Amino acid sequence: MTSRKLGLALALALATGTALADPSPAKKALIDRIVALQQQGMAESLAANIIQGPISQVTQAGRSALQQLPADKREATAKAMDAELKKFIEENVPYLKDKIAKAVPTTSSALLDERFNEDELKQILAWAESPVSQKFGMMTVELQKA
């Protein structure tokens, strides 16, 4: 599952209040391992995506609005806008990251328990822990940066 799909599933589960049922001990152990793998960088990237997605739209609209200002005020206004957006990101990404990190284990566990049987969880875990999956994950991060 891509991080975007997982993020959407997480957001949906948070909105609907999905709660963890009582899986078997073996199934719970598999779920816990998968959740631990998911959490590696997930809260950070999801928080950044949630905050920075709308920021790019605001920035684009702000740049368009700058053209309506007198030329001598554009640079100072642009710097002030950039400073405010940076401040907003610095204040809100850590807050959201903390909230996501706290919600992911319960929410993700509930979704995994609800949607996958024990055999499917074993397959997910085998893929997630495989060298090919890890190599693919690194390539995906590089692709996003590019």
Side-chain angles (χ1 to χ4, degrees), residues 13-145:
L14 287 170
T16 60
T18 303
L20 179 62
D22 288 331
S24 71
K27 187 175 182 183
K28 178 156 180 17
L30 292 168
I31 290 170
D32 290 346
R33 286 176 57 196
I34 293 170
V35 169
L37 288 171
Q38 286 176 330
Q39 283 191 287
Q40 297 172 0
M42 181 184 178
E44 177 97 30
S45 67
L46 188 54
N49 286 340
I50 289 171
I51 295 292
Q52 291 178 350
I55 293 293
S56 63
Q57 294 172 340
V58 169
T59 302
Q60 188 176 17
R63 298 289 177 225
S64 295
L66 282 174
Q67 300 308 312
Q68 297 175 14
L69 291 176
D72 61 328
K73 295 188 182 214
R74 287 184 196 151
E75 186 176 339
T77 303
K79 286 181 182 180
M81 286 172 45
D82 289 343
E84 284 298 316
L85 289 173
K86 183 179 179 185
K87 180 181 170 189
F88 177 82
I89 291 168
E90 289 172 353
E91 290 175 355
N92 288 284
V93 168
Y95 171 79
L96 193 54
K97 178 183 168 188
D98 180 59
K99 293 297 182 187
I100 291 169
K102 289 177 182 175
V104 164
T106 302
T107 305
S108 188
S109 294
L111 287 171
L112 290 166
D113 183 37
E114 177 184 314
R115 298 190 183 162
F116 297 97
N117 63 39
E118 198 170 318
D119 187 53
E120 292 168 329
L121 292 170
K122 288 177 185 176
Q123 292 175 44
I124 291 168
L125 196 53
W127 163 253
E129 292 178 333
S130 74
V132 172
S133 173
Q134 293 172 6
K135 184 177 178 180
F136 181 72
M138 287 182 190
M139 188 271 319
T140 303
V141 169
E142 290 173 20
L143 183 61
Q144 288 175 347
K145 288 180 182 177

